[in-house]
């Protein structure tokens, strides 16, 4: 048997495999989050992360809420020393390693709420000396654990802890947090509480206690816990107070439950009877309670609270009631028995309580009232008249009035009812049923703020008070806004159908304009300059037309270089048109110079094109291109006409015209017609009639002179036919073309046509240079022939031409040479 391989050899074999396995493990790859804005705030919520992701260096806030992170390791947050706020709310955290937060020296806010931490470790916070806000609510720990948990958090000002699983609070659990300003404790199932646990925290500005279970089942424990409320100025309670403030329990609890310095009392999720309300008012009799709030209350009684009328609550300055439900509404008497409480407060809010009427008698008790909020109730125009005592000005000190979210429909009725409220400055009637605005209204001269948003108004009239400084008409159906409001400083017009900015000259003091979510597509710098004092504009979420001018205007405003600052998010400005830019952020759009200066580019291009065309025309003219085109067209047209005529004749069987019926076509100028008629025609067509020496010589030789058939345009052209067709036909039916060249010939248009067509016959390939016979009547150089007749000029260089002799004795030789040229070389006389 062979020796087994050595261990190092085996390791070398497996090392590459192990390396590849390590690289391919996706769990070793740390995720990243790139959702960070320019303020170094990273929003990584709902990202599906199972581990803490990496973010940009220098991030100041990191929100990892609502992910699936189950563990924070010692290395996850290294490199984030600048982080000031970290939220891990709503994850599945079960493990946080001891040194996980050690690198966060500057952390001021930490949210670990709503996770699965079953125990708290003091080592998590020992390096967080700058921490000011800590939220541990909603985790399943049963106790705060070590007394050292918050020991090093010397700057902690807001602390929230507890859940339905918290069962004990021991002395020392809150050691080290003596300077808290706000404390929230969720202890609905608290079973053990050491007296004095909250006593060491001083001074507390606000304490929120959720003690539903203790109030129901262990009033002694609740009493012990509330016995330290003398340190608190603000106390919210989440509880069922029926048993705690029940007359039978009062003797056991009032000894320790003390309102002696409590200034603010807030209750949540109450289920309270008539007896409990009466006892609460008795217990707080004479206390310096200035604020009382009831949230989400369920009244189980019938409204019989007469025994509380003798209590003293003159220190109460504000009542706040939200979402009150009367369970036995058919047995319930009224709230009138609590009317004695209304003569003291200056602020009363009854929100979402289904109030449809506040009788005038109750309204008259509100003699000190400055603020009245009846939002989200069931008031109508008719019941509003009772509430405001038919507009007699009963609420003479009222400054703020809020009727939003009711069923009001008449602005004229509203203006009449508030006209005598001489101190009214703020009126909110938003989310009502107003759809028509009257042309004239009467308002208090002190009214400065008016909110009619969320209605169905289609136009704005002179009904608007001229004293307004703030006007909110958001979420209506306005298409124009043409009202003069000289004192207006803030105008809110979002959610309408405006296509243009309102005229700025109507608002000389306007400083802030919000016109988001309209149909606004563009506005110009001149429109912005019409606003004399406008410094704040919000115009995002519109259908932006990304023209060059508008994009430049918006981008300058984004950089703070415009006349008006755009204070909403840059991401709200999205291009809707043109189509290639649709969906792009205006801040990211870069338009080319050619796109932005189309008129200039078109003018330059047209100018360049014009110059090129002029140069081209000059060049073409110099090289006679136009002449060639003109002649080519005429030649093609004539050939087509001739071919059509021949085909027609062949089809009809009438083609009696011979292929060649002339010996020569004579091209000459009209001014040279006398020479043609006196010399050329008689000599060539009728030689026997001539009595000159040429005839005598021929007779002596017993050889008659040949007669030639000539084609003359004056004699042989068909009348009524196109002149070009006649020229073409004559040339095609002639063996030769005789050109009588002279100064008159060169200047004649028709002679030039005949020269042109002769020139084209040469190019047509049917003739050679012998078809053209040149006769010079007078001395004429080839330079006198137009340069465009390059073929004829070449012929004059390569072909012998005949010159008409002025001497009589040389003429017989001339006629002989001409006859030889007409006959051709094969027929030349010996």
């Amino acid at each position: 048997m062979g020796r087994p391989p050595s261990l190092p050899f085996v390791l070398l074999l497996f090392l590459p495999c192990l390396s590849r396995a390590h690289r391919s493990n996706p769990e070793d790859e740390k995720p990243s989050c790139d959702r960070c804005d320019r303020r170094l705030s990273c929003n990584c919520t709902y990202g599906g992360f199972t581990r803490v992701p990496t973010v940009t260096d220098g991030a100041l806030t990191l929100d990892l809420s609502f992910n699936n992170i189950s563990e924070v390791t010692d290395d996850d947050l290294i490199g984030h020393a600048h982080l000031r706020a970290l939220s891990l709310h709503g994850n599945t955290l079960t493990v946080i390693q001891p040194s996980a937060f050690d690198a966060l020296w500057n952390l001021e806010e930490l949210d670990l709420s709503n996770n699965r931490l079953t125990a708290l470790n003091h080592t998590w916070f020992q390096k967080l000396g700058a921490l000011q806000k800590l939220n541990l609510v909603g985790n399943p720990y049963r106790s705060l654990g070590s007394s050292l948990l918050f020991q090093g958090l010397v700057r902690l000002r807001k602390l929230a802890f507890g859940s339905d699983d918290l069962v004990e609070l021991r002395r020392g659990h809150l050691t080290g947090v003596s300077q808290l300003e706000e404390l929230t404790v969720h202890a609905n199932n608290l079973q053990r509480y050491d007296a004095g646990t909250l006593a060491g925290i001083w001074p507390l500005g606000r304490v929120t206690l959720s003690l539903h279970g203790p109030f129901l089942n262990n009033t002694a424990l609740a009493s012990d816990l509330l016995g330290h409320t003398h340190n608190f100025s603000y106390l919210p309670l989440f509880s069922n107070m029926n048993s705690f403030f029940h007359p039978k329990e009062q003797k056991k609890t009032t000894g320790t439950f003390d309102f002696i310095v409590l200034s603010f009392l807030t209750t949540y999720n109450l289920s309270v009877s008539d007896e409990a309300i009466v006892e609460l008012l008795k217990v707080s009799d004479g206390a310096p309670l200035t604020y009382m709030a009831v949230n989400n209350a369920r009244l189980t009684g019938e409204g019989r609270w007469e025994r509380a009328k003798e209590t003293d609550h003159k220190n109460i300055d504000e009542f706040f009631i939200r979402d009150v439900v009367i369970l036995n509404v058919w047995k319930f008497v009224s709230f009138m028995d609590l009317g004695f409480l209304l003569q003291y407060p200056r602020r009363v809010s009854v929100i979402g309580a289904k109030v449809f009427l506040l009788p005038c008698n109750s309204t008259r008790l509100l003699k000190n009232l400055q603020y009245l909020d009846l939002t989200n109730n069931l008031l109508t125009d008719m019941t509003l008249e009772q509430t405001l005592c038919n507009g007699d000005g009963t609420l003479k000190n009222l400054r703020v009035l809020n009727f939003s979210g009711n069923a009001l429909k008449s602005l004229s009725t509203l203006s009449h009812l508030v006209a005598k409220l001489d101190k009214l400055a703020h009126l909110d009637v938003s989310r009502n049923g107003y759809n028509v605005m009257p042309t004239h209204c009467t308002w208090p001269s002190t009214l400065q703020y008016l909110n009619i948003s969320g209605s169905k108004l289609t136009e704005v009239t002179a009904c608007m008070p001229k004293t307004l400084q703030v006007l909110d008409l958001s979420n209506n159906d306005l298409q124009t806004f043409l009202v003069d409001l000289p004192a207006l400083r803030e105008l809110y017009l979002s959610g309408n159908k405006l296509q243009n900015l309102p005229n700025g000259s109507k608002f000389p003091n306007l400083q802030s304009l919000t016109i988001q979510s309209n149909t606004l597509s563009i506005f110009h710098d001149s429109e912005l300059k019409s606003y004399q004092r406008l410094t704040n504009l919000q115009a995002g979420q519109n259908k932006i037309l990304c023209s060059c001018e508008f994009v430049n205007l918006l981008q300058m405003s984004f950089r703070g270089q415009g006349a008006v600052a755009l204070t909403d998010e840059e991401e709200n400005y999205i291009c809707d048109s043109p189509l290639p830019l649709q969906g792009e952020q205006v801040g990211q759009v870069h338009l080319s110079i050619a796109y932005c200066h189309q008129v200039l580019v078109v003018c330059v291009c047209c100018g360049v094109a014009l110059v090129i065309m002029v140069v081209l025309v000059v060049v073409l003219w110099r090289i006679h291109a136009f002449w060639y085109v003109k002649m080519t067209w005429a030649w093609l047209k004539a050939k087509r006409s001739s071919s059509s005529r021949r085909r027609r004749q062949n089809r009809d069987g009438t083609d009696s015209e011979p292929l060649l019926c002339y010996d020569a076509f004579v091209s000459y100028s009209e001014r040279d017609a006398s020479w043609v008629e006196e010399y050329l025609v008689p000599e060539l067509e009728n030689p026997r009639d001539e009595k000159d020496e040429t005839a005598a010589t021929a007779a002596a030789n017993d050889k008659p002179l040949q007669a030639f058939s000539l084609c003359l345009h004056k004699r042989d052209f068909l009348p009524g036919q196109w002149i070009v067709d006649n020229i073409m036909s004559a040339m095609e039916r002639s063996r030769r073309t005789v050109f009588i060249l002279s100064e008159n010939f060169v200047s004649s248009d028709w002679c030039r046509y005949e020269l042109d067509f002769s020139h084209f016959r040469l190019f047509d390939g049917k003739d050679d240079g012998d078809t053209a016979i040149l006769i010079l009547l007078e001395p004429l150089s080839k330079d006198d022939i137009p340069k465009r007749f390059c073929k004829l000029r070449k012929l004059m260089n390569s072909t012998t031409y005949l010159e008409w002799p002025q001497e009589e004795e040389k003429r017989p030789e001339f006629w002989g040479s001409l006859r030889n040229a007409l006959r051709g070389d094969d027929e030349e006389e010996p």
Side-chain angles (χ1 to χ4, degrees), residues 93-94 115-120 124 139-143:
L93 278 178
T94 57
N115 280 283
R116 300 177 184 177
L117 299 173
T118 58
L120 303 178
W124 297 344
N139 286 281
Y141 49 81
R142 297 173 61 83
S143 173

Side-chain angles (χ1 to χ4, degrees), residues 645 657 713 715-723 726 729 733:
R645 184 173 62 253
E657 183 179 300
H713 65 265
R715 183 185 66 189
D716 299 313
F717 278 9
L718 296 177
Q721 222 175 16
W722 187 32
I723 184 64
N726 276 317
S729 177
R733 290 184 291 135

Side-chain angles (χ1 to χ4, degrees), residues 690-711:
E690 297 295 332
K691 304 300 182 181
D692 54 11
E693 294 180 358
T694 303
T697 303
N701 295 329
D702 295 328
K703 186 177 182 180
L705 293 177
Q706 179 182 351
F708 294 96
S709 174
L710 301 180
C711 179

Side-chain angles (χ1 to χ4, degrees), residues 520-793:
L520 185 68
S521 59
I522 192 171
F523 52 83
H524 303 282
D525 187 54
S526 58
E527 295 180 76
L528 296 179
K529 290 181 179 179
S530 67
Y531 295 90
Q532 303 175 16
R533 302 181 62 184
L534 186 66
T535 58
N536 177 6
L537 175 63
Q538 296 186 8
Q541 300 175 4
N542 277 287
K543 297 183 177 180
I544 302 297
L545 170 61
C546 285
S547 64
C548 295
E549 179 185 1
F550 194 35
V551 167
N552 182 60
L553 176 63
L554 293 179
Q555 291 181 349
M556 289 183 61
S557 299
F558 293 153
R559 296 191 296 266
Q561 300 175 356
V564 178
L566 297 174
T567 56
D568 50 347
E569 295 293 334
E570 185 176 329
E571 292 77 9
N572 291 336
Y573 293 83
I574 305 296
C575 294
D576 184 69
S577 60
L579 190 60
L581 298 176
Q582 193 173 58
E584 295 286 336
Q585 292 187 16
V586 174
Q588 306 298 325
V589 171
H590 300 285
L591 300 175
S592 64
I593 296 178
Y595 182 85
C596 292
H597 300 87
Q598 295 182 6
V599 175
L600 178 61
V601 171
V602 169
C603 291
V604 171
C605 292
C606 290
V608 172
L610 182 61
V611 170
I612 294 175
M613 289 179 62
V614 170
V615 172
L616 183 61
V617 168
V618 171
V619 171
L620 293 176
W621 178 77
R622 295 283 295 180
I623 64 175
H624 309 290
F626 298 111
W627 174 82
Y628 281 110
V629 172
K630 179 180 177 182
M631 290 300 101
T632 301
W633 172 249
W635 171 257
L636 293 175
K637 186 175 180 181
K639 284 182 65 65
R640 182 174 180 271
S641 176
S642 176
S643 300
S644 298
R645 184 173 62 253
R646 289 185 178 182
R647 285 195 301 269
R648 187 169 56 253
Q649 290 175 350
N650 292 333
R651 185 175 62 250
D652 298 339
T654 58
D655 189 8
S656 59
E657 183 179 300
L659 182 62
L660 293 174
C661 55
Y662 297 106
D663 292 311
F665 170 70
V666 182
S667 175
Y668 61 93
S669 170
E670 281 294 326
R671 296 179 181 178
D672 298 326
S674 60
W675 183 87
V676 172
E677 294 172 354
E678 293 178 7
Y679 292 97
L680 182 65
V681 172
E683 180 66 28
L684 296 181
E685 288 189 344
N686 302 306
R688 298 184 183 278
D689 296 335
E690 297 295 332
K691 304 300 182 181
D692 54 11
E693 294 180 358
T694 303
T697 303
N701 295 329
D702 295 328
K703 186 177 182 180
L705 293 177
Q706 179 182 351
F708 294 96
S709 174
L710 301 180
C711 179
L712 305 178
H713 65 265
K714 292 178 63 177
R715 183 185 66 189
D716 299 313
F717 278 9
L718 296 177
Q721 222 175 16
W722 187 32
I723 184 64
V724 176
D725 283 344
N726 276 317
I727 294 174
M728 289 293 301
S729 177
M731 285 186 174
E732 288 178 350
R733 290 184 291 135
S734 302
R735 292 188 180 89
R736 304 283 188 271
T737 300
V738 178
F739 292 101
I740 311 301
L741 302 181
S742 65
E743 292 289 344
N744 297 328
F745 182 95
V746 173
S747 61
S748 171
D749 290 336
W750 288 113
C751 291
R752 290 172 62 189
Y753 265 111
E754 292 162 357
L755 271 173
D756 295 342
F757 286 119
S758 175
H759 176 76
F760 273 97
R761 286 193 70 190
L762 296 177
F763 281 103
D764 198 29
K766 294 183 178 180
D767 299 324
D768 54 19
D770 293 339
T771 59
I773 300 174
L774 306 182
I775 298 177
L776 272 65
L777 290 184
E778 55 190 14
L780 188 68
S781 68
K782 65 181 180 62
D783 294 333
D784 294 326
I785 305 295
K787 292 182 179 180
R788 59 180 174 272
F789 304 126
C790 55
K791 188 69 176 179
L792 293 179
R793 291 165 61 90

